Amino acid sequence: MEKNKKMDILINGTIFDVGMPHDDFIHELIEWVESKGWRFFGVIEEVDGDE
């Protein structure tokens, strides 16, 4: 892949053992993504560990 070529990445997975409220997690995640100059488009859902 060319150096510095822009691309899109699809992530389909789960982040386990998050020790903060859902809204705080979303804020932290989006803040990190934007700090890299990236953008996020998608769905973030809280799931029950028993499912």
Side-chain angles (χ1 to χ4, degrees):
M1 174 175 271
E2 291 179 36
K3 185 176 179 182
N4 299 326
K5 181 181 178 203
K6 297 212 179 204
M7 66 178 152
D8 297 334
I9 298 174
L10 173 65
I11 299 172
N12 183 1
T14 303
I15 299 174
F16 293 95
D17 300 325
V18 175
M20 66 178 70
H22 185 248
D23 288 345
D24 292 348
F25 172 79
I26 292 170
H27 176 77
E28 293 273 338
L29 178 65
I30 298 302
E31 192 173 82
W32 176 73
V33 168
E34 291 176 347
S35 78
K36 301 292 187 181
W38 306 334
R39 297 175 296 158
F40 174 79
F41 176 80
V43 176
I44 302 173
E45 295 180 294
E46 184 174 352
V47 295
D48 184 342
D50 296 333
E51 291 180 4

